[in-house]
Amino acid sequence: MEFSRKKISHKAKILWRKILQWDWVMILLFLISLELVLIMFAKLHFYSNNFQPDNGLEIILTINGLFSAILITFFFNRLSQIWTVKKELYDEATHFSQKITDFRRVCLKLTNRWGIWEDEDATKNLFDYGRFKHIDYYDYKLMSFSDYKPVDEKLIDELYEHKNFKEGMSGMYLAMSSLVKDRKSDQIIPNSELYGDYQRKGIYTSKFVQRAMEIQYFSTMWYFFDKNYSLIKYYSLGRRIKGEILSAIGRIDKKFLGRELNNELMAELCNDMQEYYLTELYDIQKDLKFGLSGTTKLIFIMFLCSTVFGLLLPFYAYFGLTNPETRLIVAEILISLNFGILFFFVVNLYSLVKRELIWVD
């Protein structure tokens, strides 16, 4: 019962913080505009004896033709700005994705050859064949520190009990091999983008990045390299393979050029991957998935209201309604609504312009 109360209290606090973040000035102006709509309708309906609906509809069509043109120009200008920003963000995401691809190429070189790992019974023999060949690092890692229960939960439990399992070495190999290929698939050939050193366009999926952030993928790898555990026989790498690895690392950041391939270099590389490249890619993807901002949505809603209540319905009422009483009441409603919409736009015009010009709080 006490836990339930605390949970409800926590949700209430979150809800209250969200309410405090609302634009209360705009809400107040909306309520005032709504009240003006009601006042205008009451004045036209109850106190105006010589109101001519045709004249009112003509005025609405004239004014809203210009008003809608202004709004649609403003709206598409906003879309153009948003597209430009999104294009720049996409180019940045492509840049960071290429860094991750080069890191995966390093992992490919370190996992597809024999005689490189200090204990191959705890690495290649354990994960490339037999019962554990389809265990993925995401399931393995997330299960280790949460209540997450993957489909192969029992198999992962068996892995921990296996005589050849070594947490640091086995975990490191599993992490690298999971970056190289989809371990859930029977396809043994790694992704085609991992071969060669060419630069590819495109970005990683949100699912890939979110999962990597969720388990702090590269941080665990950094830990074991930083502790300088004996994991990889760097001296067993041939000159050509070592050169390809160092070339890929150099493409990630020029500061690594000329460095010796060892645990210190790999630790620094893994740290940069987690703290900079992956984090930046994650933040950019959140921005890329975000649609229209509040200002752009507001402009679109006003344009929609102006078009529907200021052009389409008045046009229909002017030419399609023949009953005088129906024509009168519809004209009164439309004039009142358009007065409210115009008032709301005019009083918010300064706020809209201010948001366009001020980019930093």
Side-chain angles (χ1 to χ4, degrees), residues 13 54 289 292:
K13 289 179 180 178
D54 287 351
K289 288 193 296 182
L292 299 179

Side-chain angles (χ1 to χ4, degrees), residues 92-130:
E92 284 189 57
T94 301
H95 173 73
F96 291 125
S97 293
Q98 182 60 50
K99 304 297 183 183
I100 295 175
T101 297
D102 278 323
F103 183 86
R104 293 176 63 213
R105 288 169 175 169
V106 172
C107 293
L108 175 63
K109 303 294 183 185
L110 295 175
T111 56
N112 69 348
R113 284 174 171 75
W114 294 89
I116 294 175
W117 292 83
E118 291 287 352
D119 187 345
E120 292 187 335
D121 286 335
T123 52
K124 293 187 69 66
N125 288 329
L126 188 63
F127 290 112
D128 289 356
Y129 313 98

Side-chain angles (χ1 to χ4, degrees), residues 289-310:
K289 288 193 296 182
F290 187 76
L292 299 179
S293 66
T295 302
T296 311
K297 283 181 181 177
L298 179 62
I299 295 170
F300 177 74
I301 291 171
M302 286 194 293
F303 166 72
L304 193 62
C305 291
S306 176
T307 303
V308 173
F309 297 114

Side-chain angles (χ1 to χ4, degrees), residues 349-361:
L349 185 58
Y350 173 76
S351 176
L352 294 174
V353 173
K354 181 180 178 181
R355 293 182 187 185
E356 289 290 307
L357 297 178
I358 298 177
W359 294 359
V360 179
D361 293 333

Side-chain angles (χ1 to χ4, degrees), residues 21-287:
Q21 292 174 355
W22 290 353
D23 191 338
W24 285 101
V25 174
M26 188 168 291
I27 292 173
L28 178 61
L29 291 174
F30 173 78
L31 294 175
I32 293 174
S33 300
L34 185 60
E35 185 175 356
L36 290 174
V37 169
L38 298 176
I39 293 172
M40 177 62 75
F41 176 77
K43 182 174 178 61
L44 291 173
H45 189 70
F46 296 108
Y47 301 104
S48 181
N49 297 323
N50 58 350
F51 174 67
Q52 298 295 323
D54 287 351
N55 293 338
L57 292 172
E58 288 174 1
I59 292 172
I60 291 175
L61 288 167
T62 302
I63 293 176
N64 275 281
L66 179 60
F67 182 51
S68 296
I70 294 172
L71 286 176
I72 195 64
T73 302
F74 198 10
F75 177 70
F76 278 107
N77 182 55
R78 285 285 300 172
L79 287 185
S80 177
Q81 294 174 10
I82 292 171
W83 187 90
T84 301
V85 172
K86 297 268 186 179
K87 178 65 169 60
E88 292 175 355
L89 288 174
Y90 188 85
D91 290 341
E92 284 189 57
T94 301
H95 173 73
F96 291 125
S97 293
Q98 182 60 50
K99 304 297 183 183
I100 295 175
T101 297
D102 278 323
F103 183 86
R104 293 176 63 213
R105 288 169 175 169
V106 172
C107 293
L108 175 63
K109 303 294 183 185
L110 295 175
T111 56
N112 69 348
R113 284 174 171 75
W114 294 89
I116 294 175
W117 292 83
E118 291 287 352
D119 187 345
E120 292 187 335
D121 286 335
T123 52
K124 293 187 69 66
N125 288 329
L126 188 63
F127 290 112
D128 289 356
Y129 313 98
R131 290 177 53 77
F132 306 120
K133 67 179 181 179
H134 290 309
I135 289 179
D136 180 74
Y137 183 71
Y138 174 80
D139 294 336
Y140 162 85
K141 184 62 180 178
L142 188 58
M143 182 179 162
S144 69
F145 64 85
S146 71
D147 296 330
Y148 173 71
K149 297 185 182 300
V151 176
D152 49 2
E153 176 190 4
K154 293 183 178 179
L155 193 61
I156 294 175
D157 286 333
E158 289 182 31
L159 173 64
Y160 283 115
E161 301 300 325
H162 195 277
K163 63 179 182 178
N164 292 331
F165 175 77
K166 294 180 179 178
E167 183 177 2
M169 185 171 296
S170 300
M172 180 69 76
Y173 183 83
L174 181 59
M176 285 190 176
S177 62
S178 296
L179 283 174
V180 169
K181 63 180 181 180
D182 180 7
R183 294 185 56 85
K184 297 293 185 183
S185 171
D186 289 325
Q187 183 177 353
I188 61 174
I189 300 176
N191 301 132
S192 60
E193 70 265 18
L194 300 186
Y195 295 97
D197 57 3
Y198 49 87
Q199 307 293 296
R200 292 178 60 95
K201 293 184 179 180
I203 63 176
Y204 283 99
T205 64
S206 298
K207 180 180 178 181
F208 171 86
V209 177
Q210 287 173 355
R211 284 161 66 101
M213 288 293 292
E214 188 176 3
I215 62 173
Q216 295 290 292
Y217 205 114
F218 301 103
S219 290
T220 304
M221 302 172 72
W222 164 84
Y223 175 81
F224 289 105
F225 280 128
D226 187 62
K227 293 297 182 182
N228 203 28
Y229 287 104
S230 183
L231 303 171
I232 300 171
K233 301 176 183 177
Y234 298 106
Y235 58 85
S236 295
L237 293 167
R239 179 179 297 180
R240 181 179 63 85
I241 299 301
K242 185 179 290 188
E244 291 174 355
I245 292 174
L246 288 172
S247 176
I249 295 175
R251 289 194 301 272
I252 295 173
D253 196 319
K254 291 182 179 179
K255 70 180 182 181
F256 297 125
L257 290 174
R259 296 275 297 274
E260 181 183 353
L261 183 59
N262 52 29
N263 280 352
E264 181 182 355
L265 175 61
M266 292 300 296
E268 191 173 343
L269 177 61
C270 290
N271 183 67
D272 286 359
M273 279 290 140
Q274 183 67 51
E275 299 300 325
Y276 182 59
Y277 298 115
L278 183 66
T279 302
E280 287 292 318
L281 182 56
Y282 177 73
D283 291 338
I284 290 173
Q285 283 193 336
K286 287 195 298 183
D287 292 335

